Amino acid sequence: MNNENMTVHFKVKDYNAWRTSYNGHEKDRTSAGITNGKVFRSAEDPNHVLILQDVADVSKARTWLGSSEMKTAMEKSGVLGTPSIRAAA
């Protein structure tokens, strides 16, 4: 089965604090079938983040990203608002 791509766009209060949290959740992402994550920052606003990642199962990845544990982790790490999540084959 081919992996699909998923992008997640959002703003953070403090990129460095968010990145530390993101790096600490690698095992969780892998268990949700999310791999090969690449993090990009906007040149105009370094707290605007885009993650491009491979997903084995889009619905499983969306379920994990929407879980209460993930929402709590995002809030604690300083994610502002609701991330924009898009999948592409």
Side-chain angles (χ1 to χ4, degrees):
M1 178 178 157
N2 288 341
N3 274 352
E4 295 188 64
N5 293 310
M6 180 176 278
T7 60
V8 185
H9 289 255
F10 52 90
K11 281 194 74 157
V12 295
K13 278 187 263 197
D14 175 347
Y15 175 81
N16 292 328
W18 170 81
R19 186 65 197 237
T20 299
S21 175
Y22 174 82
N23 290 348
H25 285 91
E26 185 68 33
K27 277 189 189 147
D28 297 333
R29 282 191 297 279
T30 302
S31 67
I34 300 171
T35 55
N36 203 24
K38 295 180 184 72
V39 176
F40 300 92
R41 296 166 77 183
S42 166
E44 293 82 31
D45 180 353
N47 287 326
H48 190 138
V49 177
L50 164 68
I51 304 171
L52 173 62
Q53 52 208 349
D54 294 334
V55 292
D57 179 332
V58 170
S59 61
K60 182 179 176 183
R62 281 186 184 276
T63 298
W64 179 74
L65 286 166
S67 69
S68 57
E69 296 88 357
M70 199 57 223
K71 285 183 175 145
T72 300
M74 285 190 212
E75 283 172 20
K76 281 185 181 169
S77 70
V79 172
L80 303 171
T82 303
S84 167
I85 301 169
R86 293 197 173 90

